[in-house]
Amino acid sequence: MSDASTRLTETVTPTRLGWLAFILLLAVVPAVTERFWLQTFVQANIFALFVLSWNLISGQTSYISFGHSFLIGVAAYTTAILAAEHGVSPVVSASAGIGLAVLAGTLVFLPTLRLKGVYFTFVSLLLPIIGERVTIARSDLTGGERGIVGVPQFVDSLAANYYLSAVLLFATAYGTWWLVHSKFGEVLAMIRQDEELVETSGINPEKFKFVAFVLSAFVAGVAGVLNVHYVGTATIGSVLALPLSINIVIAAVIGGRGSVPGAIAGAWFYIFFNASVRPFTEAPVRLLSFYIVGILVIGLFPAGVVPTVRQAVKRLRDDGIDAIPTRAD
Protein backbone atom coordinates (compact mmCIF):
# COMPACT_ATOMS: atom_id res chain seq x y z
CA MET A 1 0.00 0.00 0.00
CA SER A 2 1.39 3.46 -0.96
CA ASP A 3 2.02 6.25 1.55
CA ALA A 4 -0.84 8.25 0.01
CA SER A 5 -3.25 5.36 0.47
CA THR A 6 -2.10 4.87 4.04
CA ARG A 7 -2.65 8.55 4.84
CA LEU A 8 -6.09 8.43 3.21
CA THR A 9 -7.04 5.36 5.25
CA GLU A 10 -5.90 7.05 8.45
CA THR A 11 -7.83 10.24 7.58
CA VAL A 12 -11.11 8.67 6.44
CA THR A 13 -12.12 6.79 9.59
CA PRO A 14 -15.58 5.33 10.29
CA THR A 15 -16.07 7.94 13.03
CA ARG A 16 -15.34 10.84 10.70
CA LEU A 17 -17.54 9.34 8.01
CA GLY A 18 -20.31 9.01 10.58
CA TRP A 19 -20.09 12.67 11.57
CA LEU A 20 -19.99 13.71 7.91
CA ALA A 21 -23.09 11.61 7.18
CA PHE A 22 -24.85 13.20 10.17
CA ILE A 23 -24.03 16.70 8.91
CA LEU A 24 -25.30 15.85 5.42
CA LEU A 25 -28.50 14.35 6.83
CA LEU A 26 -29.21 17.44 8.92
CA ALA A 27 -28.45 19.70 5.95
CA VAL A 28 -30.73 18.04 3.39
CA VAL A 29 -33.78 17.39 5.56
CA PRO A 30 -35.63 20.65 4.69
CA ALA A 31 -35.14 20.04 0.97
CA VAL A 32 -36.69 16.57 0.98
CA THR A 33 -39.28 16.82 3.77
CA GLU A 34 -42.90 17.98 3.80
CA ARG A 35 -43.96 20.65 6.29
CA PHE A 36 -45.48 18.26 8.86
CA TRP A 37 -42.38 16.08 8.98
CA LEU A 38 -40.08 19.10 9.08
CA GLN A 39 -41.99 20.29 12.16
CA THR A 40 -41.54 16.81 13.58
CA PHE A 41 -37.81 16.97 12.89
CA VAL A 42 -37.54 20.21 14.88
CA GLN A 43 -39.30 18.55 17.81
CA ALA A 44 -37.06 15.48 17.40
CA ASN A 45 -33.90 17.60 17.46
CA ILE A 46 -35.05 19.40 20.60
CA PHE A 47 -35.95 16.14 22.32
CA ALA A 48 -32.52 14.78 21.33
CA LEU A 49 -31.03 17.71 23.25
CA PHE A 50 -33.14 16.62 26.25
CA VAL A 51 -31.70 13.11 26.03
CA LEU A 52 -28.12 14.28 25.45
CA SER A 53 -28.46 16.42 28.57
CA TRP A 54 -29.57 13.42 30.62
CA ASN A 55 -26.81 11.32 29.05
CA LEU A 56 -24.10 13.68 30.28
CA ILE A 57 -24.71 12.75 33.91
CA SER A 58 -26.78 9.57 33.95
CA GLY A 59 -25.32 7.95 30.84
CA GLN A 60 -21.72 8.55 31.86
CA THR A 61 -22.02 7.81 35.58
CA SER A 62 -24.07 5.47 37.74
CA TYR A 63 -26.41 8.28 38.87
CA ILE A 64 -29.80 7.67 37.25
CA SER A 65 -31.82 10.89 37.30
CA PHE A 66 -35.56 11.25 36.84
CA GLY A 67 -35.38 14.96 37.54
CA HIS A 68 -34.17 16.43 34.27
CA SER A 69 -37.60 17.79 33.40
CA PHE A 70 -37.20 20.00 36.46
CA LEU A 71 -34.15 21.67 34.91
CA ILE A 72 -35.86 21.94 31.53
CA GLY A 73 -38.93 23.44 33.20
CA VAL A 74 -36.93 26.04 35.15
CA ALA A 75 -35.32 27.30 31.95
CA ALA A 76 -38.55 27.16 29.94
CA TYR A 77 -40.74 28.96 32.48
CA THR A 78 -38.07 31.60 33.18
CA THR A 79 -37.74 32.64 29.55
CA ALA A 80 -41.50 32.34 28.97
CA ILE A 81 -42.33 34.65 31.90
CA LEU A 82 -39.73 37.22 30.89
CA ALA A 83 -40.42 37.19 27.13
CA ALA A 84 -44.21 36.72 27.06
CA GLU A 85 -45.25 38.54 30.22
CA HIS A 86 -42.65 41.30 30.45
CA GLY A 87 -41.56 41.85 26.85
CA VAL A 88 -37.90 41.00 27.42
CA SER A 89 -35.85 40.18 24.33
CA PRO A 90 -35.90 36.41 23.63
CA VAL A 91 -32.11 36.29 23.60
CA VAL A 92 -31.90 37.96 27.02
CA SER A 93 -34.76 35.92 28.48
CA ALA A 94 -33.27 32.69 27.13
CA SER A 95 -29.89 33.53 28.65
CA ALA A 96 -31.59 34.11 31.99
CA GLY A 97 -33.44 30.81 31.66
CA ILE A 98 -30.27 28.86 30.93
CA GLY A 99 -28.43 30.56 33.77
CA LEU A 100 -31.22 29.86 36.23
CA ALA A 101 -31.36 26.20 35.16
CA VAL A 102 -27.64 25.86 35.89
CA LEU A 103 -28.07 27.65 39.22
CA ALA A 104 -31.10 25.53 40.17
CA GLY A 105 -29.23 22.38 39.27
CA THR A 106 -26.27 23.47 41.34
CA LEU A 107 -28.34 24.37 44.41
CA VAL A 108 -30.87 21.54 44.26
CA PHE A 109 -29.24 18.59 42.54
CA LEU A 110 -25.61 18.73 43.52
CA PRO A 111 -26.19 18.12 47.25
CA THR A 112 -27.96 14.91 46.24
CA LEU A 113 -24.90 13.66 44.34
CA ARG A 114 -23.52 12.59 47.70
CA LEU A 115 -26.31 10.05 47.69
CA LYS A 116 -25.79 6.90 45.67
CA GLY A 117 -27.89 4.37 43.83
CA VAL A 118 -31.60 4.27 44.50
CA TYR A 119 -31.38 7.11 47.03
CA PHE A 120 -30.20 9.60 44.41
CA THR A 121 -32.81 8.34 41.96
CA PHE A 122 -35.59 8.70 44.52
CA VAL A 123 -34.66 12.28 45.39
CA SER A 124 -34.39 13.24 41.71
CA LEU A 125 -37.82 11.72 41.17
CA LEU A 126 -39.35 14.17 43.64
CA LEU A 127 -38.05 17.33 41.95
CA PRO A 128 -40.44 17.44 38.96
CA ILE A 129 -43.32 16.70 41.33
CA ILE A 130 -42.30 19.56 43.62
CA GLY A 131 -41.80 21.83 40.60
CA GLU A 132 -45.28 20.98 39.33
CA ARG A 133 -46.87 21.77 42.71
CA VAL A 134 -45.01 25.09 42.93
CA THR A 135 -46.05 25.99 39.38
CA ILE A 136 -49.71 25.35 40.18
CA ALA A 137 -49.49 27.20 43.51
CA ARG A 138 -47.95 30.26 41.82
CA SER A 139 -50.46 30.37 38.97
CA ASP A 140 -50.36 34.18 39.12
CA LEU A 141 -46.81 33.95 37.82
CA THR A 142 -46.79 30.73 35.79
CA GLY A 143 -50.33 30.52 34.46
CA GLY A 144 -50.97 27.36 36.49
CA GLU A 145 -52.31 24.42 34.54
CA ARG A 146 -53.08 26.65 31.55
CA GLY A 147 -49.44 27.67 31.25
CA ILE A 148 -47.98 30.67 29.47
CA VAL A 149 -48.85 31.43 25.86
CA GLY A 150 -47.54 33.90 23.31
CA VAL A 151 -43.84 33.17 23.77
CA PRO A 152 -42.06 34.73 20.76
CA GLN A 153 -39.91 32.61 18.46
CA PHE A 154 -36.19 33.17 17.99
CA VAL A 155 -36.61 33.07 14.20
CA ASP A 156 -39.67 33.42 12.00
CA SER A 157 -39.67 30.62 9.41
CA LEU A 158 -39.99 26.88 9.95
CA ALA A 159 -36.78 26.23 7.98
CA ALA A 160 -34.87 28.69 10.15
CA ASN A 161 -36.21 27.03 13.30
CA TYR A 162 -35.12 23.68 11.91
CA TYR A 163 -31.59 24.82 11.14
CA LEU A 164 -31.32 26.45 14.56
CA SER A 165 -32.27 23.16 16.21
CA ALA A 166 -29.96 21.22 13.89
CA VAL A 167 -26.94 23.43 14.59
CA LEU A 168 -27.49 23.23 18.35
CA LEU A 169 -27.98 19.46 18.13
CA PHE A 170 -24.79 18.93 16.14
CA ALA A 171 -22.74 21.22 18.39
CA THR A 172 -24.04 19.48 21.52
CA ALA A 173 -23.61 15.99 20.10
CA TYR A 174 -20.06 16.60 18.91
CA GLY A 175 -19.12 18.39 22.12
CA THR A 176 -20.53 15.53 24.18
CA TRP A 177 -18.76 12.93 22.03
CA TRP A 178 -15.46 14.78 22.40
CA LEU A 179 -15.95 15.02 26.17
CA VAL A 180 -16.78 11.32 26.51
CA HIS A 181 -13.61 10.35 24.62
CA SER A 182 -11.37 12.72 26.58
CA LYS A 183 -9.48 12.03 29.81
CA PHE A 184 -12.43 13.61 31.62
CA GLY A 185 -14.78 11.06 30.03
CA GLU A 186 -12.48 8.23 31.03
CA VAL A 187 -12.75 9.29 34.67
CA LEU A 188 -16.55 9.45 34.41
CA ALA A 189 -16.52 5.91 32.99
CA MET A 190 -14.39 4.80 35.94
CA ILE A 191 -16.87 6.43 38.32
CA ARG A 192 -19.69 4.53 36.63
CA GLN A 193 -17.86 1.23 37.05
CA ASP A 194 -16.50 1.64 40.58
CA GLU A 195 -16.59 5.02 42.34
CA GLU A 196 -14.91 3.72 45.48
CA LEU A 197 -11.95 2.49 43.42
CA VAL A 198 -11.67 5.96 41.87
CA GLU A 199 -11.54 7.49 45.35
CA THR A 200 -8.85 5.09 46.51
CA SER A 201 -6.73 5.93 43.45
CA GLY A 202 -6.46 9.54 44.61
CA ILE A 203 -8.98 11.08 42.21
CA ASN A 204 -11.77 13.23 43.65
CA PRO A 205 -14.96 11.98 41.93
CA GLU A 206 -17.01 14.86 43.36
CA LYS A 207 -15.14 17.35 41.17
CA PHE A 208 -15.81 15.38 38.00
CA LYS A 209 -19.47 14.79 38.87
CA PHE A 210 -19.85 18.52 39.57
CA VAL A 211 -18.54 19.49 36.13
CA ALA A 212 -20.63 16.82 34.41
CA PHE A 213 -23.76 17.96 36.18
CA VAL A 214 -23.20 21.65 35.43
CA LEU A 215 -22.73 20.80 31.74
CA SER A 216 -25.84 18.60 31.86
CA ALA A 217 -27.88 21.41 33.43
CA PHE A 218 -26.56 23.86 30.82
CA VAL A 219 -27.67 21.63 27.93
CA ALA A 220 -31.03 21.06 29.65
CA GLY A 221 -31.43 24.83 29.89
CA VAL A 222 -30.58 25.34 26.22
CA ALA A 223 -33.06 22.65 25.22
CA GLY A 224 -35.76 24.05 27.50
CA VAL A 225 -35.59 27.59 26.12
CA LEU A 226 -35.33 26.34 22.53
CA ASN A 227 -38.43 24.21 23.02
CA VAL A 228 -40.61 26.93 24.53
CA HIS A 229 -39.57 29.57 21.99
CA TYR A 230 -40.34 27.16 19.15
CA VAL A 231 -43.69 25.90 20.44
CA GLY A 232 -44.75 29.30 21.80
CA THR A 233 -46.16 27.97 25.08
CA ALA A 234 -44.86 26.74 28.41
CA THR A 235 -47.06 24.17 30.14
CA ILE A 236 -46.46 21.71 32.94
CA GLY A 237 -46.97 18.70 30.69
CA SER A 238 -44.62 19.87 27.94
CA VAL A 239 -41.61 21.07 29.94
CA LEU A 240 -41.85 20.08 33.60
CA ALA A 241 -43.97 17.04 34.46
CA LEU A 242 -42.45 13.73 35.60
CA PRO A 243 -43.62 11.80 32.47
CA LEU A 244 -41.25 13.96 30.42
CA SER A 245 -38.32 12.74 32.53
CA ILE A 246 -39.51 9.15 32.18
CA ASN A 247 -39.73 9.49 28.39
CA ILE A 248 -36.21 10.94 28.28
CA VAL A 249 -34.84 8.00 30.26
CA ILE A 250 -36.64 5.41 28.12
CA ALA A 251 -35.45 7.05 24.88
CA ALA A 252 -31.87 7.08 26.18
CA VAL A 253 -31.99 3.41 27.18
CA ILE A 254 -33.56 2.38 23.86
CA GLY A 255 -30.82 4.10 21.89
CA GLY A 256 -28.06 3.06 24.24
CA ARG A 257 -27.25 4.61 27.59
CA GLY A 258 -23.97 6.50 27.43
CA SER A 259 -23.92 6.51 23.63
CA VAL A 260 -24.12 9.87 21.84
CA PRO A 261 -25.54 8.40 18.59
CA GLY A 262 -27.80 6.25 20.77
CA ALA A 263 -29.22 9.30 22.55
CA ILE A 264 -30.09 10.91 19.20
CA ALA A 265 -31.50 7.69 17.75
CA GLY A 266 -33.64 7.02 20.82
CA ALA A 267 -34.97 10.59 20.86
CA TRP A 268 -35.80 10.56 17.16
CA PHE A 269 -37.49 7.20 17.53
CA TYR A 270 -39.69 8.51 20.34
CA ILE A 271 -40.80 11.64 18.45
CA PHE A 272 -41.34 9.96 15.08
CA PHE A 273 -43.15 7.01 16.66
CA ASN A 274 -45.60 9.40 18.32
CA ALA A 275 -46.02 11.41 15.12
CA SER A 276 -46.68 8.26 13.09
CA VAL A 277 -49.41 6.88 15.37
CA ARG A 278 -50.99 10.26 16.23
CA PRO A 279 -53.68 10.06 13.50
CA PHE A 280 -54.90 6.73 14.86
CA THR A 281 -54.69 7.02 18.65
CA GLU A 282 -55.32 9.34 21.57
CA ALA A 283 -52.42 10.71 23.62
CA PRO A 284 -52.69 8.18 26.52
CA VAL A 285 -52.76 5.29 24.05
CA ARG A 286 -49.76 6.69 22.18
CA LEU A 287 -47.79 6.90 25.41
CA LEU A 288 -48.77 3.39 26.45
CA SER A 289 -47.83 2.10 22.99
CA PHE A 290 -44.42 3.74 23.23
CA TYR A 291 -43.82 2.18 26.65
CA ILE A 292 -44.77 -1.27 25.34
CA VAL A 293 -42.52 -0.91 22.28
CA GLY A 294 -39.77 0.43 24.53
CA ILE A 295 -39.98 -2.61 26.81
CA LEU A 296 -39.78 -4.93 23.79
CA VAL A 297 -36.81 -3.11 22.29
CA ILE A 298 -34.94 -2.99 25.60
CA GLY A 299 -35.67 -6.69 26.08
CA LEU A 300 -34.19 -7.50 22.67
CA PHE A 301 -31.28 -5.05 22.96
CA PRO A 302 -30.39 -4.63 26.66
CA ALA A 303 -27.33 -2.53 25.82
CA GLY A 304 -29.37 -0.33 23.49
CA VAL A 305 -29.93 -0.47 19.75
CA VAL A 306 -26.92 1.58 18.63
CA PRO A 307 -24.25 -0.19 20.77
CA THR A 308 -25.71 -3.57 19.79
CA VAL A 309 -25.63 -2.73 16.08
CA ARG A 310 -22.11 -1.32 16.41
CA GLN A 311 -20.89 -4.51 18.08
CA ALA A 312 -22.53 -6.66 15.40
CA VAL A 313 -20.88 -4.65 12.61
CA LYS A 314 -17.52 -4.86 14.38
CA ARG A 315 -17.83 -8.65 14.68
CA LEU A 316 -18.72 -8.97 11.00
CA ARG A 317 -15.80 -6.76 10.01
CA ASP A 318 -13.39 -8.69 12.23
CA ASP A 319 -14.66 -12.01 10.90
CA GLY A 320 -14.21 -10.75 7.36
CA ILE A 321 -10.63 -9.69 8.05
CA ASP A 322 -9.86 -13.04 9.66
CA ALA A 323 -11.29 -14.82 6.61
CA ILE A 324 -8.92 -13.05 4.19
CA PRO A 325 -6.18 -15.55 3.26
CA THR A 326 -2.58 -14.49 3.87
CA ARG A 327 0.33 -15.22 1.52
CA ALA A 328 1.42 -18.01 3.81
CA ASP A 329 -1.95 -19.65 3.25
Side-chain angles (χ1 to χ4, degrees), residues 145-219:
E145 295 183 356
R146 182 181 65 88
I148 300 172
V149 299
V151 182
Q153 291 190 325
F154 288 123
V155 290
D156 294 331
S157 69
L158 175 58
N161 274 288
Y162 168 78
Y163 280 118
L164 177 60
S165 71
V167 168
L168 289 174
L169 174 59
F170 176 79
T172 303
Y174 188 78
T176 302
W177 177 86
W178 179 85
L179 187 71
V180 168
H181 290 83
S182 68
K183 294 294 184 181
F184 181 84
E186 291 179 5
V187 175
L188 290 182
M190 292 166 58
I191 292 173
R192 181 177 66 240
Q193 294 169 4
D194 192 335
E195 186 171 344
E196 292 183 357
L197 181 61
V198 173
E199 291 176 343
T200 58
S201 66
I203 299 174
N204 180 10
E206 300 297 329
K207 178 176 68 174
F208 288 87
K209 290 187 294 184
F210 174 82
V211 175
F213 194 86
V214 168
L215 291 173
S216 176
F218 176 80
V219 175

Side-chain angles (χ1 to χ4, degrees), residues 69-89:
S69 62
F70 173 78
L71 300 174
I72 294 167
V74 167
Y77 269 99
T78 298
T79 190
I81 291 169
L82 292 176
E85 303 292 337
H86 298 284
V88 176
S89 163

Side-chain angles (χ1 to χ4, degrees), residues 103-168:
L103 179 61
T106 303
L107 295 177
V108 177
F109 263 89
L110 284 179
T112 66
L113 285 178
R114 295 186 177 277
L115 303 174
K116 295 182 181 179
V118 68
Y119 302 103
F120 172 83
T121 300
F122 176 74
V123 172
S124 73
L125 192 70
L126 295 177
L127 291 176
I129 299 174
I130 295 172
E132 182 176 344
R133 294 300 132 198
V134 172
T135 302
I136 294 174
R138 290 304 309 271
S139 59
D140 58 315
L141 184 65
T142 64
E145 295 183 356
R146 182 181 65 88
I148 300 172
V149 299
V151 182
Q153 291 190 325
F154 288 123
V155 290
D156 294 331
S157 69
L158 175 58
N161 274 288
Y162 168 78
Y163 280 118
L164 177 60
S165 71
V167 168
L168 289 174

Side-chain angles (χ1 to χ4, degrees), residues 218-302:
F218 176 80
V219 175
V222 170
V225 301
L226 181 63
N227 178 70
V228 76
H229 280 283
Y230 171 66
V231 177
T233 60
T235 62
I236 292 172
S238 64
V239 296
L240 180 59
L242 179 59
L244 174 60
S245 284
I246 295 173
N247 294 340
I248 290 171
V249 174
I250 293 176
V253 176
I254 287 176
R257 180 185 164 206
S259 165
V260 173
I264 298 171
W268 282 5
F269 171 76
Y270 168 72
I271 294 298
F272 281 96
F273 176 85
N274 281 332
S276 299
V277 302
R278 182 176 292 122
F280 315 106
T281 59
E282 299 294 329
V285 178
R286 287 198 302 272
L287 192 60
L288 178 61
S289 301
F290 172 70
Y291 289 161
I292 293 174
V293 172
I295 291 172
L296 293 174
V297 173
I298 293 170
L300 291 171
F301 308 101

